[in-house]
Amino acid sequence: MGLKKNLSAAEIVEQVVYARRLFTEEVGPLTNVVFMGMGEPLHNFDSVMKAAEIMVDCHGLYFSPNKVTVSTSGLVPQIRRFIRESPFELAVSLNATTDEVWNWIMPINRKYNLDILLTTLREEISRRRKYKVFFEYVMLAGINDSTEDAKRLVNLVEGIPCKINLISFNPYNGSPFAPSSEEQMLAFRNIVANAGYTVIIRYSRGNDQMAACGQLGQPGNGQPSLMQIPERFQAAIASQLIVDCL
């Protein structure tokens, strides 16, 4: 889709105000806000912070600061600033346990690799009292969901106070990826949980209507840049593309 624009703080807050009007009567009060998806929140740092501050202000929307979470793909300088300056929660999209895979599916790794990202989190969180980061890990069949990946994940996050969300991938037309099976997600979860971490499996919602996380938006005419597939994953990707064609 490409970058269209950055939202202003007013435009961001307006979404929450509108959601309250639309859904409060049907589902009850809205209690949590997550800045995630369809763009990188920390690329729009100042507007996101101003919007979040309005959301928690007693004269604004009066959310609890620990109910407002900002997600990032791993922008290290902005993460440092966020942890030092804000009272809000931080979620980091990890999605891989090796630089080989992260380079492929998370191109930001080419600038800030896993070691730089995780070292930064250890350093900054050590200065905060009772602070935990959320790691978001989208499970991709045959790509990042192996027993070895689970064990590497345990080693990677060692020393970082955290909770880990395992997220079912939402497939879409033309995607080279497929979601991990429930059996594989449970096996992965058990390895990480047995190492002492809090792990939550987030199952898909809205996928039946192509309205789940990662599926919203109207694609434009531009073609996304294609990341080179590591050789050892080419067979898995080829089999998924064959399935899509059948």
Side-chain angles (χ1 to χ4, degrees):
M1 291 175 63
L3 176 64
K4 304 300 180 182
K5 61 169 285 186
N6 281 324
L7 296 178
S8 67
E11 289 172 319
I12 297 169
V13 173
E14 185 180 28
Q15 295 181 59
V16 184
V17 172
Y18 183 73
R20 272 187 168 178
R21 290 174 182 168
L22 195 61
F23 297 119
T24 296
E25 185 175 337
E26 179 181 348
V27 302
L30 302 184
T31 58
N32 294 61
V33 174
V34 181
F35 293 78
M36 179 181 289
M38 306 314 289
E40 165 58 59
L42 294 188
H43 268 154
N44 192 20
F45 191 97
D46 292 336
S47 292
V48 165
M49 289 300 100
K50 184 175 181 181
E53 288 164 3
I54 292 171
M55 291 177 193
V56 302
D57 194 278
C58 62
H59 299 295
L61 302 184
Y62 209 16
F63 285 93
S64 170
N66 63 7
K67 298 295 184 180
V68 176
T69 302
V70 177
S71 177
T72 179
S73 60
L75 275 66
V76 167
Q78 290 91 330
I79 287 174
R80 286 189 185 277
R81 184 179 171 193
F82 180 90
I83 295 175
R84 294 178 183 185
E85 297 181 9
S86 86
F88 310 116
E89 302 294 315
L90 177 68
V92 177
S93 295
L94 200 55
N95 302 334
T97 61
T98 66
D99 282 318
E100 178 189 30
V101 175
W102 224 45
N103 278 338
W104 171 31
I105 64 176
M106 300 285 289
I108 188 64
N109 185 60
R110 298 176 183 187
K111 189 169 186 179
Y112 308 113
N113 65 25
L114 283 171
D115 181 60
I116 294 172
L117 170 65
L118 296 171
T119 298
T120 297
L121 289 170
R122 284 189 189 89
E123 291 174 351
E124 295 301 326
I125 292 175
S126 68
R127 299 171 180 158
R128 293 283 300 267
R129 186 170 176 268
K130 294 183 178 180
Y131 192 87
K132 288 187 176 183
V133 63
F134 294 88
F135 285 115
E136 313 291 346
Y137 195 94
V138 177
M139 303 280 293
L140 305 173
I143 306 299
N144 65 359
D145 63 349
S146 68
T147 297
E148 291 74 20
D149 281 303
K151 293 176 180 178
R152 279 194 296 265
L153 180 60
V154 169
N155 292 330
L156 283 173
V157 301
E158 184 178 359
I160 302 176
C162 64
K163 294 182 179 180
I164 299 168
N165 290 325
L166 302 180
I167 302 172
S168 178
F169 174 69
N170 296 307
Y172 55 89
N173 187 35
S175 169
F177 303 115
S180 302
S181 67
E182 182 174 359
E183 180 182 14
Q184 191 64 27
M185 292 185 73
L186 289 170
F188 193 104
R189 187 274 310 271
N190 290 342
I191 291 172
V192 181
N194 287 339
Y197 294 96
T198 299
V199 188
I200 301 170
I201 293 180
R202 303 289 189 186
Y203 292 106
S204 177
R205 295 182 181 181
N207 188 42
D208 57 328
Q209 301 181 43
M210 281 295 289
C213 181
Q215 294 178 331
L216 300 177
Q218 182 63 46
N221 295 324
Q223 294 296 316
S225 57
L226 299 178
M227 299 296 109
Q228 184 174 357
I229 302 172
E231 185 175 351
R232 66 190 181 96
F233 295 112
Q234 290 178 5
I237 293 299
S239 63
Q240 174 59 27
L241 293 176
I242 291 172
V243 169
D244 286 345
C245 292
L246 294 179

